[in-house]
Amino acid sequence: MGKPTGFIEYTREEPPHRPVAERIQDWQEIDLLLPESQLRRQAARCMDCGIPFCHVAGCPLWNRIPEFNDLVYRGRWRDALENLHSTNNFPEVTGRVCPAPCEPACTLSINDDPVTIKHIELQIAERGFREGWIYPQMPAKRWPYRVAIVGSGPAGLAAAQQLARCGHEVTVFEKDDRIGGLLRYGIPDFKLAKSVLDRRLAQMEAEGVRFVSGVHVGEDISARYLRQSFHAVLLTMGAGKPRPLDIPGSDLRGVHFAMEFLTQQNRRVAGDPPGKLGEPIWAGGKKVLVIGGGDTGADCVGTAIRQGATSVYQIEILPKPPEGYNPETPWPMWPRILRTSTSHEEGCIRDWAVLTKRLEGENGWVKAAHACRVEWIRQNGRWVMREIPGSDFVIPCELVLLAMGFLHVVHEGLVRSLGVELDSRGNVIANNWMTSVPGVFVAGDSRRGASLVVHAITEGRQAAAAIHEYLTS
């Protein structure tokens, strides 16, 4: 806890954002940092709640939140960083992109505003980099074991760092030409500047992690080669199979999956030449329709606005969530309520309970979406969707971005050639992080399906511990 009476004396202060008119002109990060005096007041709000639900129910990483809040309040920043790093390899990332399930689980959330946990976490990490407290951690012992990690997203990177610090020889394979996976290509620069990722990768390289980019395991090198060359293999490719939109007109030009759109823009910001990007997906001067109401859809909204879209319309097939409190998701559960992202604040029409029925084209290009209203009715304990008669309407659009989530890991190539067992949803099955193939492990979205960065980091850490035990016992 921080100050015993802090939660009574101080109110929650939100970290500031750059003004909308300024930030939509560039790709720089939106969030600004609270001054240290204000931040320590925010840490002082952490109360003596007995059971820290932020830690035990909210945080998938089990960050010791009351402890680092207390340390920040007392000005013991380096100790706070050590505390945070004991459970989280990349707090500078989660402090930026995590939806912070710890905050609605904060005891203050019962009848007040929660502690600004996410922003405190971010500031601890940033302070650590500024002060030079974050540097390579070398292992006390070297083992003669080689581990291959396929995929360089948050799960793969967390596992790589843990295994390298245990003294194993770790090689991370990435099919793209830059390391980072989802963090590199799936999250816009205005939410996560890639310099943030690069400085952590530099630390990991100094710790002995070997990064091999531009190599598609299962195509460029075989699964057999991988198993013969390494003592253990960890699959962390993510859930890369997007959910399709199976309606007439979905094959029109101008209809793209969200990750194609986001990846291409991240490549532009990184300086890739136009010839390397493929067919340009550009929102400038166009009416944009985003289908899907989650975080990926919101990222498409912010990206389209920065590219100069004339309008952005975002639709979701589910009903509009309630504002404020939702009795169906009581504390300390993650509340299903209406959330407005910084991208939505920049200018976007949002609509709920909308079903897209077909896409209309002209000269091969999409020009409109035909949709209708739906209602959701509970039948035998299940929600059933029904179209509302006479509710059809048309949404003019020249670019359609499909942000409806992901199904499972891509099966073609490595997964199929390894012969690992899959569950009914298409995810890789694991027992203590090992697949049905001895010596082959899995973690992150490849195992659990599309989820949060914090879940991926947690699973990467746990899989690394299982691999270490497997190799050394």
Side-chain angles (χ1 to χ4, degrees), residues 302-318:
T303 300
I305 289 170
R306 282 162 178 75
Q307 288 186 359
T310 57
S311 65
V312 183
Y313 199 112
Q314 184 182 23
I315 59 175
E316 167 62 61
I317 196 170
L318 296 174

Side-chain angles (χ1 to χ4, degrees), residues 181-202:
L182 168 75
L183 304 178
R184 176 73 64 183
Y185 291 116
I187 299 174
D189 287 70
F190 58 79
K191 289 176 64 176
L192 175 65
K194 302 315 173 229
S195 58
V196 172
L197 179 59
D198 290 337
R199 67 187 180 187
R200 184 64 79 168
L201 294 176

